[in-house]
Structure formats: C-alpha cells, structure tokens
Amino acid sequence: MVRGKTVIEKIKNTTSRQVTFSKRKGGLFKKARELGVLCDAQVGVLLFSNTGRLYDYSNSNSGMKSLLERYQQVKEGQQFMSASAQAKFWQAEGERLRQQLHNLQENNRQLLGQHLSGLGLEDLSGLEKQLETSLHNIRLAKDQLTIDEIEEFNKKGNLVHQENVELHKELNIIHQENIYLQSKLNGQPEANGAITSSSSQCSIAARDGANLVRLELSKPHHAEKDEEPESPTLGYGEICVL
C-alpha cells in the first residue's frame, strides 16, 4: 500500500500536535547524533516547544555553552573579515581609478607635445598616427558642419528671393493703380471747371436780369431783294436755365 504524502502545515489538533512534536524531536536529535559520529563534527541543537520549554543536544564534551561561545566568535570574525575584505576591495578600486586618471592625464600631455622625452620611436609613431586620425575626424566633422550651414543659408536665401518676387509683383500692381488714379484725377478738374464756370455765368445772368429772361429778335437786314432773310437771333448770346 502506497503511503500518502504528508502535507506540511500547522496541526490544529493539540494532542496530535504534541505527539508529532515528540516524534520529530527525537528523530532530529537522532540525526544530529549520527551526523556528529559519522562526520566527526560538533553538532548542537536548540529547540523550544510552543509552551516555551527548552530542549537541546550537543555532542561537545564542554557542552552547549562552549559551542555557543565558539559560534559567537566565528560569527564576529566573519563579519570583521567581511568588512575588512570590503574595505580592501574599495581601496583597490580607488587605486585603479587613480592610476587610470594618471594615464589619461599623461596621454593628454603627450597629445599636446609635452613629456615626450621618455617615449621611444614606436611610441612616437603611434602617437603621430593617433594625432593624424584625430585631425582627420575633426576635419570631417568641420566640413560636415560647414556643408549643413551652407545648405541652411541657401534655403533661407531662396525663401528671401521668393518673398522679394512676391513683393515686387505687389509693388507693380500698386504702381499701376496709382497711375490709373492719377490719370483719372488729372482729367476730373477740367470737367468740374467747365461745369463751375457755366453755373457761375448763369447765376450772374439771373442776378442781373432780376430773374427775368428777355428775348429779342433782331430785325432782318436785306442787302438785296432776292436774298433770303437771315434766321432771327436772340437778343442775348446765351440762355441760362435756372
């Protein structure tokens, strides 16, 4: 018959829980004892029940107290060693960063042509190649920047040119309108002057004649008998209609 798998969870029944505690406690101490004998190890087990009762096992001749003291010493030593190892690590890291900074500063001075006395022919050749590569990259970046600026200026120039063309067209239209208006204004005063003159003459004639218009026919003068009489003419040269 196959034994079912035991579910590991808290036993709710008090009696069953106490029985299980006693069985498991005995088995735990038995395993600790076997481990100490088989492996020649110092084993100590501390166990408190749910009621607060202490159970302990130790295979040390000095008892559980010596094991606890040894445990405390080893634990403190491990913590101290951990802190010491961490300090050494950061010291080594700081030293590495300082050396890296020194190398970068020295390389920068050499690129500027300083501190070259300790360099050999191979080092100087490498430094020269490095400078040529850097100069080439700088020139490429400069040329590209110049090309971009020229393209931008050309775009702005085209926009300004288009705006100038549009403004020139508008200026021509305004100029033509001005010419048309000027010609129209130049012809207007003559007509106005003629109308004003006729109106003034009519006003004078009306005032002199006391609002009366007299028409007289001139007598015909015949030079010869067969001549046709001339058409009668008015006494006044003009007729003003008021």
Side-chain angles (χ1 to χ4, degrees), residues 97-107 109:
L97 292 175
R98 282 193 294 271
Q99 185 63 34
Q100 184 177 2
L101 178 61
H102 175 74
N103 294 336
L104 291 174
Q105 291 176 348
E106 188 67 21
N107 189 22
R109 295 189 187 95

Side-chain angles (χ1 to χ4, degrees), residues 68-80:
L68 292 176
E69 290 177 354
R70 183 178 179 182
Y71 166 78
Q72 191 67 26
Q73 292 176 0
V74 172
K75 187 68 176 177
E76 291 177 356
Q78 288 180 351
Q79 292 179 353
F80 177 77

Side-chain angles (χ1 to χ4, degrees), residues 54-110:
L54 173 63
Y55 299 91
D56 63 331
Y57 168 78
S58 174
N59 63 351
S60 175
N61 296 328
S62 301
M64 181 61 71
K65 184 177 180 180
S66 62
L67 284 178
L68 292 176
E69 290 177 354
R70 183 178 179 182
Y71 166 78
Q72 191 67 26
Q73 292 176 0
V74 172
K75 187 68 176 177
E76 291 177 356
Q78 288 180 351
Q79 292 179 353
F80 177 77
M81 289 298 293
S82 178
S84 177
Q86 188 175 6
K88 289 181 179 180
F89 169 77
W90 287 115
Q91 289 177 357
E93 186 69 13
E95 185 64 26
R96 185 183 68 82
L97 292 175
R98 282 193 294 271
Q99 185 63 34
Q100 184 177 2
L101 178 61
H102 175 74
N103 294 336
L104 291 174
Q105 291 176 348
E106 188 67 21
N107 189 22
N108 186 35
R109 295 189 187 95
Q110 291 174 357

Side-chain angles (χ1 to χ4, degrees), residues 37-197:
V37 173
L38 293 174
C39 301
D40 193 19
Q42 290 185 345
V43 182
V45 178
L46 290 175
L47 181 62
F48 290 91
S49 66
N50 60 347
T51 59
R53 186 175 178 180
L54 173 63
Y55 299 91
D56 63 331
Y57 168 78
S58 174
N59 63 351
S60 175
N61 296 328
S62 301
M64 181 61 71
K65 184 177 180 180
S66 62
L67 284 178
L68 292 176
E69 290 177 354
R70 183 178 179 182
Y71 166 78
Q72 191 67 26
Q73 292 176 0
V74 172
K75 187 68 176 177
E76 291 177 356
Q78 288 180 351
Q79 292 179 353
F80 177 77
M81 289 298 293
S82 178
S84 177
Q86 188 175 6
K88 289 181 179 180
F89 169 77
W90 287 115
Q91 289 177 357
E93 186 69 13
E95 185 64 26
R96 185 183 68 82
L97 292 175
R98 282 193 294 271
Q99 185 63 34
Q100 184 177 2
L101 178 61
H102 175 74
N103 294 336
L104 291 174
Q105 291 176 348
E106 188 67 21
N107 189 22
N108 186 35
R109 295 189 187 95
Q110 291 174 357
L111 290 174
L112 294 175
Q114 302 174 0
H115 297 180
L116 301 178
S117 58
L119 299 179
L121 181 60
E122 184 177 356
D123 295 334
L124 292 174
S125 298
L127 184 61
E128 183 180 6
K129 291 180 180 179
Q130 185 177 358
L131 287 172
E132 290 177 353
T133 303
S134 301
L135 184 60
H136 177 69
N137 294 332
I138 292 171
R139 287 175 177 172
L140 289 178
K142 180 182 177 182
D143 293 341
Q144 185 62 39
L145 183 60
T146 304
I147 292 172
D148 294 339
E149 290 182 354
I150 291 173
E151 291 179 354
E152 186 68 21
F153 289 148
N154 289 334
K155 291 179 180 179
K156 292 181 179 179
N158 292 332
L159 292 176
V160 172
H161 178 69
Q162 293 178 0
E163 291 179 357
N164 288 335
V165 171
E166 295 295 331
L167 292 174
H168 185 68
K169 291 180 180 179
E170 294 179 1
L171 183 61
N172 288 334
I173 294 172
I174 294 172
H175 181 65
Q176 293 176 1
E177 291 179 353
N178 289 335
I179 294 175
Y180 173 74
L181 293 175
Q182 187 67 32
S183 62
K184 190 173 182 181
L185 290 174
N186 291 334
Q188 188 70 20
E190 296 178 357
N192 292 336
I195 296 172
T196 304
S197 177

Side-chain angles (χ1 to χ4, degrees), residues 229-241:
E230 296 179 356
S231 59
T233 58
L234 296 177
Y236 292 96
E238 293 182 356
I239 300 175
C240 296
V241 180

